[in-house]
Structures are given as C-alpha cells and as structure tokens.
Amino acid sequence: EQVVEGNLIVKDLQHNITLTFEHEAAVFGPRATPAGESGFLQLAEPMEACTPLANKIPDELNWIALIKRSPPGFDCDFVDKVRHAQDAGALAALVYDHTDEHLIIMSKPSYISETHIPSVFLAKRDGDLLVHLIQTF
C-alpha cells in the first residue's frame, strides 16, 4: 500500500503560479513544520549532491535544495544528499527520482547520524518540471 504524507506546494509569486506535488517524507531528520517550509527553490550543484554543494547562497536567504536521485552504482545515499544540502545552508531538501516509479521512502542506516533539515521524495516527472521552471524563470 502506498501512503503519501501530504502535498508539496510550490509557488512562483512573480509569475502567479501555484503547483501541488505528492511527496513522501524521509524517515530521518525532522518533519516540516505544520505551516510548511518557505524558501527559494535552487538546483543543487552538483545535482546529485553526492559531494559538498557548490551553491553560494547568502546566509540571510532561505532556500530549499532540489536534488536528483543517483542512478544505481553511485556510492551516495539519501542521507549524504540531505546532509550536503544542510551543510550548504538549505533549510529543506527535495529529492526527486531519476526514473519513473512509485514514490519511495528515503531511509538511512541506523549507525548514521540524523540530519537537521526536513526532506521529501518526489516523482521524476515532478522533479523534472521543477528543474524546467527554475531554468526557465
């Protein structure tokens, strides 16, 4: 049975666009607050976030990292990706799939420490749309 925690709402105030995406919250790190997290959505650099991010975002700017899931064979798990976003100053992380499949639950091995920012998993089509919107606007 597929259980989706809720909806992710992305707003582009400049262009008056509001989009809603189903997502699955990670089982590690904190949950988003009931009011949600609000910040500027930025592509992670590098997009797979398997190494520390090169994003240079001013400290006073709240931002959310958009990260692509790595294909099989990469030695990079979900916690690595979220931790790299956290270390770069992101207040949350959105990880989207690299292939079309059902939403999955991002988990971590018990011996790895927790992250301190909320993170969720999105479908490939939704992540691809967000990438397109970021690159277009």
Side-chain angles (χ1 to χ4, degrees):
E1 178 181 351
Q2 183 74 24
V3 177
V4 177
E5 180 195 78
N7 287 321
L8 169 71
I9 299 171
V10 176
K11 295 181 179 183
D12 179 337
L13 301 177
Q14 183 179 4
H15 298 93
N16 197 27
I17 298 171
T18 300
L19 302 168
T20 303
F21 301 102
E22 289 185 349
H23 69 277
E24 187 68 60
V27 295
F28 57 86
R31 299 281 185 181
T33 63
E37 306 297 334
S38 181
F40 292 96
L41 190 59
Q42 298 287 315
L43 295 176
E45 299 172 17
M47 283 189 68
E48 284 85 9
C50 291
T51 58
L53 300 188
N55 296 72
K56 301 296 182 210
I57 310 292
D59 290 338
E60 65 275 3
L61 184 64
N62 290 332
W63 69 285
I64 298 170
L66 181 61
I67 300 168
K68 188 172 188 177
R69 182 181 183 193
S70 304
F74 275 73
D75 186 24
C76 178
D77 59 32
F78 293 122
V79 175
D80 292 332
K81 295 171 179 298
V82 175
R83 192 174 318 282
H84 288 142
Q86 172 184 293
D87 292 348
L91 64 93
L94 309 180
V95 180
Y96 70 97
D97 213 338
H98 62 85
T99 188
D100 292 315
E101 61 184 351
H102 295 290
L103 293 177
I104 62 169
I105 298 172
M106 297 188 298
S107 61
K108 71 170 190 67
S110 60
Y111 60 87
I112 294 178
S113 63
E114 288 290 333
T115 59
H116 304 292
I117 62 172
S119 58
V120 299
F121 190 77
L122 301 172
K124 179 184 186 304
R125 71 180 176 281
D126 296 336
D128 288 343
L129 175 60
L130 289 171
V131 169
H132 173 75
L133 292 173
I134 290 169
Q135 293 174 339
T136 302
F137 296 125

